[in-house]
Amino acid sequence: MRLIEIIYAILALGLLWWSFFSKKQNWKIIILLLSAMLFLITLQYKVEGFRWQMIPLYVVPIFLIFFLRVNVSKKWLKITMSISIFLFTVIAVSLPFIFPVFAFKEPTGKYAVGTTSYTFVDHDRLETYEKDPYSKRKLAIQIWYPVNKDEKGKFAPYISDIQPIAKGLKKALHLPSFLFQQLSLVKTHSMLNVHVSPEKSNYPVLIFSHGLTGFRNQNTFEVEELASHGYIIVGIDHTYDAAATIFTDGSSAEIRFKNLSGFDELDSHITLWEKDVSFVLNELEKLNKNDRKNLFINRMDLNQIGMFGHSYGGATAVQMLMKDDRIKAAVNMDGTLYGEKIEETGVEKPLMIFNGEKSIDYNEYKKTLNQADSQLDKPLSYYENNWKETTERRENALANGGISIEIPHTSHMSFTDFPLFSPFFANKGEDPRYVHEVINAFTLHFFDFHLKNKPFHLNQLKKAYSDIKVSE
């Protein structure tokens, strides 16, 4: 809960209990406290913003006004009211904690962070998701970048337009869209449209690709940290495969994700994402020469580009590492390696793969299959072969000096912001803040080594995070 919410909750619930069970009611104090509550509601709405999780607490003054004169002298009524108010208190306090307006940790680098967005249209590609046969592929990107610590600016919201994103997450996660409304109140550490730090002439570039049904902001915990250490990060929304894409003109494209299944379909579809990344790389070259915002002219070191991604975006990062000479190193966060098959000799360029403990645990996979047994539309052997193929592809990718990292208590969504959305999205025993710290530490050292020629103190990281399984 946020500060004003906490103050209001203490006042509202305290008055609720006291007014019902105090032997003597002081109306002057009650009216004074009710007035204070109404003031706090107004202040909280203006300063912190309304959210549905606070509704039970918002209605306390109304409840008190109408029911303050209820006589609870009878024992049975007193017991009933006590139980009711206790249950109400539990629900009223729990909701804001279960679906919090969370805060991202302050980035640890020497720079503050700036952010801005662009919309690019690829006039050489048709948009296959749209019915219009002449529609061109349009992409939205968001850039995070280093700025001076003394820079002043307006901080960007986590999500600028929550409605399309909430609808997309509803389709992706099969949860009511209202559960995500509070994300519009989450603040970031990124300032809008401020100037890139002049401390260095240019900065290496990292491309970020979300997972299927994800969105470009889904790893804000990571992109802000990397930007604070001197990287320009470009997050791509893969239009219609993202939960929603918000373009710079305010329009949006909601998810139309095709129900892809099996390696053949997913191997084929990833070419769309590869073309997206290639196109964005081309546009960055133009932006580096002529930026209408006058932010990035000659500020991007396009000779030092890395890529990282989650899930399908992680698989895309590996494909781009193999196929595009501009990508010098890549990090895959728990992504099955769809796309062109990797030879047993491995990938020729630096690669690091994060694995969720549950994602590579065969017993966990079997348990999931057994739980979904009645809903499986294919023979069990099909899923067994999928597991074998997934394992083989991962082993091939790591064969030529790749680094594999397994983080305890993690599953697929642990490598995103999602566990911060609600404790329900975290695994038993998982500390999302710690997991994010580990991801940031290893990712930063990996890219620092390969793009900035800094030492890669892998053994020091192993000691610092002794519970993490690292294989080279």
Side-chain angles (χ1 to χ4, degrees):
M1 295 177 74
R2 296 168 293 176
L3 179 59
I4 300 176
E5 290 177 346
I6 292 172
I7 296 171
Y8 174 77
I10 293 172
L11 181 59
L13 294 173
L15 181 57
L16 180 64
W17 282 92
W18 177 75
S19 62
F20 270 103
F21 301 110
S22 175
K23 292 181 179 179
K24 187 176 181 181
Q25 294 176 339
N26 187 319
W27 283 98
K28 289 183 178 180
I29 293 177
I30 291 173
I31 291 171
L32 180 65
L33 291 176
L34 281 172
S35 300
M37 289 166 62
L38 293 174
F39 170 76
L40 283 172
I41 289 175
T42 304
L43 183 66
Q44 195 264 329
Y45 174 77
K46 290 183 175 296
V47 176
E48 296 178 335
F50 167 85
R51 59 178 178 133
W52 66 266
Q53 295 89 346
M54 290 289 292
I55 289 176
L57 288 168
Y58 290 151
V59 301
V60 168
I62 300 172
F63 182 80
L64 285 171
I65 290 170
F66 282 98
F67 296 97
L68 203 53
R69 294 182 178 276
V70 173
N71 187 346
V72 291
S73 58
K74 294 181 180 180
K75 186 175 180 180
W76 68 268
L77 185 56
K78 195 168 187 176
I79 293 172
T80 302
M81 291 298 295
S82 297
I83 294 173
S84 299
I85 294 177
F86 173 76
L87 293 175
F88 174 83
T89 301
V90 171
I91 294 170
V93 172
S94 297
L95 279 176
F97 282 104
I98 292 172
F99 299 100
V101 179
F102 64 88
F104 289 104
K105 288 185 68 175
E106 186 84 28
T108 64
K110 63 185 290 188
Y111 300 100
V113 181
T115 190
T116 192
S117 299
Y118 295 84
T119 297
F120 297 143
V121 179
D122 189 347
H123 296 283
D124 294 328
R125 283 193 297 159
L126 296 175
E127 180 51 81
T128 57
Y129 274 103
E130 293 186 7
K131 294 180 180 180
D132 182 356
Y134 302 104
S135 180
K136 302 298 183 180
R137 181 75 169 162
K138 184 164 69 169
L139 298 173
I141 68 163
Q142 185 165 347
I143 303 179
W144 295 265
Y145 52 92
V147 303
N148 283 352
K149 284 282 190 181
D150 59 357
E151 189 74 53
K152 303 295 182 184
K154 181 182 178 182
F155 288 97
Y158 179 47
I159 296 175
S160 59
D161 188 350
I162 188 59
Q163 299 307 327
I165 296 291
K167 288 180 182 178
L169 292 175
K170 175 184 177 180
K171 291 180 181 179
L173 302 175
H174 306 292
L175 292 171
S177 60
F178 74 85
L179 293 180
F180 304 101
Q181 295 297 319
Q182 73 277 4
L183 296 181
S184 65
L185 302 175
V186 173
K187 298 177 181 179
T188 70
H189 299 288
S190 303
M191 292 177 283
L192 285 165
N193 301 315
V194 291
H195 290 290
V196 181
S197 172
E199 183 175 319
K200 293 187 177 181
S201 59
N202 55 32
Y203 298 89
V205 175
L206 299 174
I207 306 296
F208 172 70
S209 182
H210 59 75
L212 279 169
T213 73
F215 51 97
R216 66 181 185 253
N217 316 73
Q218 68 165 57
N219 279 58
T220 293
F221 82 88
E222 187 173 20
V223 296
E224 288 193 331
E225 177 69 6
L226 292 169
S228 78
H229 285 272
Y231 287 94
I232 293 175
I233 298 93
V234 181
I236 304 171
D237 265 337
H238 296 280
T239 315
Y240 296 120
D241 283 339
T245 299
I246 313 299
F247 298 106
T248 49
D249 64 0
S251 63
S252 62
E254 294 182 19
I255 187 172
R256 295 183 187 175
F257 171 57
K258 297 174 182 176
N259 188 22
L260 304 170
S261 63
F263 277 97
D264 289 342
E265 291 182 7
L266 288 161
D267 285 346
S268 175
H269 185 73
I270 207 168
T271 57
L272 173 68
W273 288 38
E274 293 169 24
K275 291 176 181 178
D276 285 349
V277 178
S278 294
F279 169 68
V280 168
L281 288 172
N282 294 338
E283 292 300 302
L284 292 181
E285 292 174 3
K286 298 176 185 177
L287 198 65
N288 210 32
K289 296 176 182 177
N290 183 22
D291 177 14
R292 58 181 173 79
K293 296 184 180 181
N294 198 29
L295 294 175
F296 298 108
I297 297 174
N298 297 322
R299 305 313 308 276
M300 291 183 275
D301 184 354
L302 297 178
N303 292 315
Q304 298 297 334
I305 303 177
M307 184 169 175
F308 64 109
H310 170 250
S311 191
Y312 208 60
T316 304
V318 177
Q319 291 296 313
M320 293 302 297
L321 183 68
M322 295 192 299
K323 298 175 181 178
D324 196 314
D325 291 337
R326 292 173 290 186
I327 304 296
K328 302 297 190 294
V331 173
N332 175 348
M333 292 180 286
D334 209 48
T336 300
L337 294 165
Y338 297 112
E340 183 179 307
K341 285 193 176 184
I342 303 169
E343 300 295 329
E344 293 181 3
T345 52
V347 179
E348 294 181 356
K349 291 187 281 186
L351 172 64
M352 184 164 69
I353 296 179
F354 284 101
N355 302 297
E357 182 180 61
K358 294 180 181 295
S359 302
I360 60 173
D361 185 341
Y362 178 73
N363 292 326
E364 192 72 28
Y365 182 70
K366 287 282 289 183
K367 187 195 301 182
T368 303
L369 289 180
N370 290 335
Q371 290 173 347
D373 185 51
S374 61
Q375 301 175 12
L376 298 179
D377 57 352
K378 292 182 174 63
L380 189 61
S381 59
Y382 169 84
Y383 298 96
E384 295 285 358
N385 289 334
N386 271 0
W387 178 267
K388 182 179 178 181
E389 178 72 17
T390 299
T391 303
E392 184 180 294
R393 291 187 180 202
R394 183 172 60 249
E395 291 174 349
N396 286 353
L398 295 167
N400 190 26
I403 300 173
S404 175
I405 300 173
E406 180 184 338
I407 305 178
H409 309 299
T410 54
S411 59
H412 193 55
M413 300 308 291
S414 301
F415 299 88
T416 70
D417 299 333
F418 277 65
L420 300 177
F421 293 1
S422 170
F424 289 138
F425 291 136
N427 301 295
K428 184 179 180 181
E430 177 185 3
D431 178 355
R433 301 287 186 180
Y434 175 72
V435 172
H436 289 169
E437 180 184 324
V438 171
I439 294 168
N440 286 339
F442 279 90
T443 301
L444 179 63
H445 276 75
F446 177 79
F447 283 128
D448 274 355
F449 178 67
H450 294 292
L451 301 182
K452 292 184 177 181
N453 296 316
K454 290 185 176 181
F456 190 10
H457 300 295
L458 189 57
N459 287 331
Q460 291 183 17
L461 288 174
K462 288 180 182 179
K463 291 179 181 178
Y465 303 104
S466 57
D467 58 327
I468 309 301
K469 297 180 182 178
V470 181
S471 303
E472 302 175 67

